[in-house]
Structure formats: C-alpha cells, structure tokens
Amino acid sequence: MNYIITIRYFNPILNIGLQDVRNAWYLAAQTPIQLTTIIYQGAVYFRFPGTGKRISYKKIKRGLIKKQIILQLPMELLPF
C-alpha cells in the first residue's frame, strides 16, 4: 500500500518541499524525509531527524517556487 503526499511549494536550492506550513519534506535523499516542526524563540523551524541541525521557515521561504510534486511513499506494515 502507498500513501500520496502533495508538495505545493519547492525550494530548489535547499531541496526542501512544503506540503503546508507545518509539514516539510527533504527531497535530496533517495527516499523523502519528513522534517520535524518546532517553535524556537517564537519562530517556526524544521529539524532534520537524528541531528541537531535546524532550518528556519524564513530561510526556506526566500527561495520558494510554486510547483506541485506528488510523492508516493510506501506504507510500512507492522511486523506482527
């Protein structure tokens, strides 16, 4: 089974796509990685999973272009 995600905005410099303001995807990896959303000092930041690196929404917003990308991600089944 697959689930479908529609990316509406894309930043080609950072290879990050925005589904909406709260959901960002890193698209440079072989499989897209969803970034974690945090609020830091009153601003929206996105954090890469497993690292302390974060990137602000303002920085992503600077190079956004309106582009629709459709991702089909496999749904992981439970092992039991």
Side-chain angles (χ1 to χ4, degrees):
M1 294 185 69
N2 293 335
Y3 61 97
I4 298 172
I5 296 169
T6 304
I7 303 292
R8 294 193 177 119
Y9 298 98
F10 179 67
N11 187 325
I13 298 166
L14 300 173
N15 288 323
I16 294 177
L18 289 177
Q19 184 177 0
D20 53 33
V21 177
R22 300 282 293 179
N23 296 312
W25 293 82
Y26 182 63
L27 303 173
Q30 189 170 359
T31 58
I33 301 169
Q34 186 172 16
L35 304 178
T36 308
T37 306
I38 59 170
I39 305 293
Y40 179 73
Q41 294 183 350
V44 177
Y45 281 83
F46 298 101
R47 185 178 296 259
F48 290 91
T51 65
K53 184 178 178 184
R54 62 180 178 252
I55 186 164
S56 70
Y57 174 73
K58 287 182 182 181
K59 188 172 184 180
I60 294 172
K61 193 171 116 174
R62 280 187 214 141
L64 280 182
I65 58 172
K66 191 168 189 172
K67 182 177 182 181
Q68 186 171 6
I69 301 171
I70 297 175
L71 302 175
Q72 290 184 353
L73 300 175
M75 184 178 257
E76 297 178 14
L77 299 176
L78 297 175
F80 52 85

